[in-house]
Amino acid sequence: MSALTHFRTPLLQTPFHARTSAANTLNRWGPWGGYMTALCFGDADMEYTAIRNGASVYDLCPMVKYRITGRDAAAYLNRLTLRNAAKLSVGGVHYTAWTDDAGKIMDDGTLFRHGPEDYLICCQERHLPWLLASSTGFEVHVEEVTEAIAALSLQGPCSASVLEAAGFDVQGLKPFRMATYPFEGGEITISRTGFTGDLGYELWLTPDQALPFWDHLFAAGAPWGIRPIGSDALDLARIEAGFIITNMDFIPVHQALREDRARSPFELGLGWMIDWEKGHFTGRRALLAEKAKGSDWALIGIDIPGNISAEGAILYHGKKVEAGVVTAAAWSPALKANLAIAQVQAKYAAAQDLWVEIYAMRELQYAKLMLPVTLTERPFFNPARKRATPPGRV
């Protein structure tokens, strides 16, 4: 394909498109990683309700996926990512991130260990040139497998019951673990992972299994009101969970046009995942220096009076000095609270006199609101059911 005509190429359709397009009564689509992804199927409120009170299904196929295999797979990943990939047992999953030499975040994602020398990275952005360049000196094979793996996210308090009704016994599957199950002469992988902060699972299969599996899952889940959801409802759920998203809550360093926009793991609240004992990794020296000196920025959770979303609003200290900006915000139906995630200058991260400036539309005119904020620990929404094993039957 010519570099001059790529813009004429339509967005790709996922293996589930025949079902998602039929269900998308609003015909609302958005781009994600070169694919069409549903923003809302018909009613975002009902889709959110399915996440928190029933069973919801989200098409994960556009997520970028890389398979890392070979004798040095663990050593290679330890050189690249912040956590210790060698400590991740086979069948395990962990959340991780990776930085450049200056210790600034390139991306975050989940790492799955399918075998002693077989890993899968799932993330938001594409990094193949960087991954290949970083493999010099390691006996590894790096391959993008995004199109070879179809995936669904099944989330909600009834998700385990739906899977059991579909013939998959997940009662013993612990959080951040995965297992394989037979399906129509083949196999699928189910991991107890997700992006809603609730009980949930992610289902991994081949593209040819996609439509038969969708039909099987929705037939089994009908008694629990299973329904497909779009990115609008998922975004509300992830804000309640306090999760961050690339290019929404932080800019990947290699995409940042302004030098001061890049953020380190410490500045995004991810310092806990750094394994200092595993040996050298990309960005280690810079992060050690930052640890000793202190960070310039911090990521905080806040609660705001009222119910007007504060997304994009500026935070002030003492109503006068700019302290930071809100990156994600929403009124939480589950918590009955006006929640937000914000980046602030580190010196204001624990300040008590923070205010947010919101412009609320009131009958075709904006009203300026200056409201006090309350610092709140993330995750905002943290139900016990997401950790319970067995998860119980609903």
Side-chain angles (χ1 to χ4, degrees), residues 93-163:
V93 188
H94 70 206
Y95 173 50
T96 190
W98 42 99
T99 69
D100 67 355
D101 286 330
K104 301 302 182 182
I105 291 280
M106 297 182 68
D107 205 352
D108 63 346
T110 44
L111 181 66
F112 298 74
R113 191 169 192 176
H114 289 278
E117 300 177 355
D118 185 359
Y119 292 84
L120 183 74
I121 293 179
C122 296
C123 54
Q124 183 80 7
E125 305 296 321
R126 284 188 159 80
H127 303 281
L128 188 57
W130 175 73
L131 291 170
L132 291 173
S134 301
S135 67
T136 301
F138 292 96
E139 191 175 309
V140 292
H141 178 70
V142 181
E143 179 185 9
E144 180 173 348
V145 292
T146 303
E147 295 185 28
I149 300 176
L152 291 175
S153 179
L154 173 65
Q155 304 285 305
C158 299
S159 55
S161 297
V162 170
L163 287 174

Side-chain angles (χ1 to χ4, degrees), residues 248-263:
M248 294 183 71
D249 298 290
F250 69 96
I251 304 296
V253 61
H254 57 292
Q255 296 179 18
L257 299 179
R258 296 166 178 83
E259 188 175 346
D260 66 343
R261 295 302 192 267
R263 296 288 180 261

Side-chain angles (χ1 to χ4, degrees), residues 216-285:
H216 180 70
L217 187 67
F218 273 76
W224 292 272
I226 190 172
R227 65 187 303 152
I229 66 164
S231 297
D232 292 348
L234 179 63
D235 191 50
L236 173 52
R238 73 91 184 176
I239 291 172
E240 289 181 331
F243 295 150
I244 58 175
I245 296 183
T246 310
N247 277 314
M248 294 183 71
D249 298 290
F250 69 96
I251 304 296
V253 61
H254 57 292
Q255 296 179 18
L257 299 179
R258 296 166 178 83
E259 188 175 346
D260 66 343
R261 295 302 192 267
R263 296 288 180 261
S264 75
F266 295 115
E267 293 173 325
L268 294 179
L270 302 179
W272 59 268
M273 67 169 56
I274 301 174
D275 190 321
W276 299 105
E277 306 303 320
K278 66 175 181 173
H280 184 68
F281 58 89
T282 304
R284 187 177 191 273
R285 293 187 184 93

Side-chain angles (χ1 to χ4, degrees), residues 60 112 152-153 155 189-191 193-195 200-204:
L60 279 180
F112 298 74
L152 291 175
S153 179
Q155 304 285 305
T189 298
I190 299 179
S191 59
T193 50
F195 201 58
Y201 303 84
E202 290 174 335
L203 319 169
W204 311 87

Side-chain angles (χ1 to χ4, degrees), residues 37-372:
T37 187
L39 300 178
C40 179
F41 283 89
D43 188 326
D45 292 336
M46 291 303 295
E47 291 170 28
Y48 165 83
T49 299
I51 298 172
R52 292 291 180 241
N53 298 287
S56 65
V57 173
Y58 183 74
D59 187 349
L60 279 180
C61 294
M63 180 180 290
V64 182
K65 312 169 193 75
Y66 296 105
R67 178 138 274 158
I68 314 292
T69 56
R71 186 183 68 180
D72 294 337
Y76 166 75
L77 288 165
N78 273 352
R79 177 68 168 77
L80 294 178
T81 64
L82 299 178
R83 299 185 72 175
N84 193 329
K87 289 183 177 179
L88 182 63
S89 61
V90 173
V93 188
H94 70 206
Y95 173 50
T96 190
W98 42 99
T99 69
D100 67 355
D101 286 330
K104 301 302 182 182
I105 291 280
M106 297 182 68
D107 205 352
D108 63 346
T110 44
L111 181 66
F112 298 74
R113 191 169 192 176
H114 289 278
E117 300 177 355
D118 185 359
Y119 292 84
L120 183 74
I121 293 179
C122 296
C123 54
Q124 183 80 7
E125 305 296 321
R126 284 188 159 80
H127 303 281
L128 188 57
W130 175 73
L131 291 170
L132 291 173
S134 301
S135 67
T136 301
F138 292 96
E139 191 175 309
V140 292
H141 178 70
V142 181
E143 179 185 9
E144 180 173 348
V145 292
T146 303
E147 295 185 28
I149 300 176
L152 291 175
S153 179
L154 173 65
Q155 304 285 305
C158 299
S159 55
S161 297
V162 170
L163 287 174
E164 280 209 298
F168 308 111
D169 183 5
V170 294
Q171 288 295 314
L173 192 60
K174 296 180 180 180
F176 294 100
R177 299 296 300 176
M178 58 182 168
T180 58
Y181 298 84
F183 176 71
E184 293 193 351
E187 283 187 340
I188 68 165
T189 298
I190 299 179
S191 59
R192 190 167 168 183
T193 50
F195 201 58
T196 64
D198 213 322
L199 174 64
Y201 303 84
E202 290 174 335
L203 319 169
W204 311 87
L205 48 152
T206 57
D208 62 292
Q209 294 174 309
L211 297 184
F213 183 80
W214 177 285
D215 294 340
H216 180 70
L217 187 67
F218 273 76
W224 292 272
I226 190 172
R227 65 187 303 152
I229 66 164
S231 297
D232 292 348
L234 179 63
D235 191 50
L236 173 52
R238 73 91 184 176
I239 291 172
E240 289 181 331
F243 295 150
I244 58 175
I245 296 183
T246 310
N247 277 314
M248 294 183 71
D249 298 290
F250 69 96
I251 304 296
V253 61
H254 57 292
Q255 296 179 18
L257 299 179
R258 296 166 178 83
E259 188 175 346
D260 66 343
R261 295 302 192 267
R263 296 288 180 261
S264 75
F266 295 115
E267 293 173 325
L268 294 179
L270 302 179
W272 59 268
M273 67 169 56
I274 301 174
D275 190 321
W276 299 105
E277 306 303 320
K278 66 175 181 173
H280 184 68
F281 58 89
T282 304
R284 187 177 191 273
R285 293 187 184 93
L287 290 171
L288 278 173
E290 182 180 344
K291 184 181 180 183
K293 177 187 174 184
S295 303
D296 294 328
W297 291 87
L299 196 76
I300 61 172
I302 55 177
D303 190 343
I304 303 168
N307 61 1
I308 305 298
S309 175
E311 186 168 2
I314 296 175
L315 285 170
Y316 292 87
H317 182 249
K319 296 188 182 181
K320 296 180 180 180
V321 181
E322 287 192 20
V325 63
V326 172
T327 61
W331 166 259
S332 165
L335 301 175
K336 303 297 184 289
N338 198 16
L339 306 173
I341 300 170
Q343 287 189 16
V344 297
Q345 295 177 52
K347 60 185 176 183
Y348 299 121
Q352 297 302 310
D353 194 17
L354 287 178
W355 297 74
V356 63
E357 183 181 55
I358 302 176
Y359 288 84
M361 176 64 77
R362 300 277 173 78
E363 296 182 350
L364 303 182
Q365 292 188 21
Y366 280 105
K368 177 181 174 180
L369 307 175
M370 185 69 81
L371 302 172

